[in-house]
Amino acid sequence: MIQSPPRRVFRQTVNVRLAFGILFLLTAGIFIAVGLGSDPVEYTPVVIGALILAAYAALWVAIRKTTVTVFSEGVRRSSVLGTRELMWSDISEYRYQNTPIRYGGLVGGLIGAAVQVALEARQGKRAGLLRLTLVGTTRRDIRVTYNFKNAEQAIDMIVKEIHDRLRPELKRRLANGDQVVFGPLGLSVQGVSWKGKERIPMTEIGKAEISGRKLRVRRQGKMLDAIGVGTEKIPNVLLALELLQELRVNAGLSGVAGTFA
């Protein structure tokens, strides 16, 4: 059980709650208007409208109480449904997504617009819907999403802690000439492979990046991706990309092994 003082507490934004509020208020208003506009007055629609408003009030409180807290020992997520904790040593992997915002229908449009305006105003760039899922060794998950204030900072803090614990051993294995795997993705000094298929030599890689929802690896001079796969399919994908970039920089140098010592 985590007992140290919190390093940082991340709370829910109001943007999603306000977006839901427009939807709930509009729906409740229609029911109430129909009931009061009838002759004689019909109270059933009015009651339904009042219940919708009460449900929205309860939803507002529930979302407001959801927090993610980062500690020296691990991460805790608290909500009206309970508390879930993961010690750093209990995290087997994470899955990362940054989904471009698309507006679909009334709900998607209202929520997406509210979230995008808030994120872009804060970040000064085109925003996406961030999601980090921490997978525990006992399959107890904790999710950090764009619904949290400063979600990007929360994800950076958590990922840095995980990387600092995993990186030294992975670098040691790479320096020894071993292959390290991130699910279906394999990395070694010689190159990168996907699902055990043909290895792409490091010296032939022209681009390796996360673009939108995908990790993309492209050979030099090619228009299409040699590897283009959703980041959520690769455990610890940000660390995989970090190591891949280091391997590319040092490809062909006699001191490759030394850089990973």
Side-chain angles (χ1 to χ4, degrees), residues 13-16 112-124 127 146:
T13 68
V14 299
N15 304 299
V16 173
V115 171
Q116 183 167 18
V117 168
L119 289 177
E120 291 184 0
R122 187 163 63 245
Q123 299 176 8
Y146 59 90

Side-chain angles (χ1 to χ4, degrees), residues 76-136:
R76 174 188 295 158
R77 176 170 173 141
S78 302
S79 70
V80 293
L81 300 178
T83 298
R84 180 168 292 186
E85 294 182 347
L86 282 175
M87 309 292 281
W88 297 122
S89 58
D90 293 333
I91 298 174
S92 61
E93 64 184 48
Y94 67 77
R95 301 288 175 136
Y96 171 83
Q97 286 179 283
N98 187 2
T99 306
I101 297 173
R102 295 183 177 86
Y103 307 138
L106 177 61
V107 177
L110 292 173
I111 295 176
V115 171
Q116 183 167 18
V117 168
L119 289 177
E120 291 184 0
R122 187 163 63 245
Q123 299 176 8
K125 58 185 179 181
R126 184 167 181 81
L129 304 182
L130 294 171
R131 180 186 298 270
L132 182 76
T133 303
L134 304 177
V135 181

Side-chain angles (χ1 to χ4, degrees), residues 65-253:
K65 290 186 175 181
T66 302
T67 62
V68 165
T69 307
V70 180
F71 299 85
S72 297
E73 302 103 313
V75 183
R76 174 188 295 158
R77 176 170 173 141
S78 302
S79 70
V80 293
L81 300 178
T83 298
R84 180 168 292 186
E85 294 182 347
L86 282 175
M87 309 292 281
W88 297 122
S89 58
D90 293 333
I91 298 174
S92 61
E93 64 184 48
Y94 67 77
R95 301 288 175 136
Y96 171 83
Q97 286 179 283
N98 187 2
T99 306
I101 297 173
R102 295 183 177 86
Y103 307 138
L106 177 61
V107 177
L110 292 173
I111 295 176
V115 171
Q116 183 167 18
V117 168
L119 289 177
E120 291 184 0
R122 187 163 63 245
Q123 299 176 8
K125 58 185 179 181
R126 184 167 181 81
L129 304 182
L130 294 171
R131 180 186 298 270
L132 182 76
T133 303
L134 304 177
V135 181
T137 53
T138 58
R139 306 307 299 178
R140 289 173 57 85
D141 298 347
I142 289 180
R143 290 182 176 85
V144 183
T145 71
Y146 59 90
N147 288 335
F148 288 92
K149 295 179 183 178
N150 302 312
E152 192 170 12
Q153 294 178 24
I155 290 173
D156 285 346
M157 284 184 67
I158 294 169
V159 166
K160 181 181 184 303
E161 187 71 37
I162 296 172
H163 286 190
D164 287 348
R165 292 169 179 269
L166 297 179
R167 188 186 294 108
E169 173 61 16
L170 294 177
K171 285 192 171 185
R172 184 194 66 79
R173 291 174 56 192
L174 288 169
N176 288 338
D178 297 334
Q179 176 177 259
V180 298
V181 295
F182 297 83
L185 186 74
L187 296 181
S188 69
V189 173
Q190 288 74 36
V192 57
S193 62
W194 177 254
K195 292 185 176 180
K197 297 180 181 178
E198 179 187 2
R199 178 183 292 160
I200 306 170
M202 287 295 167
T203 54
E204 295 183 13
I205 297 175
K207 181 181 291 186
E209 63 180 1
I210 290 176
S211 177
R213 290 190 58 179
K214 291 187 175 182
L215 172 70
R216 301 181 184 275
V217 179
R218 188 174 299 176
R219 291 179 184 266
Q220 293 179 4
K222 300 295 184 180
M223 296 294 294
L224 300 179
D225 296 330
I227 299 174
V229 62
T231 56
E232 71 278 6
K233 296 182 180 180
I234 305 173
N236 307 329
V237 65
L238 298 175
L239 180 56
L241 180 59
E242 175 188 323
L243 294 177
L244 174 55
Q245 296 289 28
E246 289 189 43
L247 288 167
R248 288 184 62 212
V249 168
N250 293 288
L253 300 179

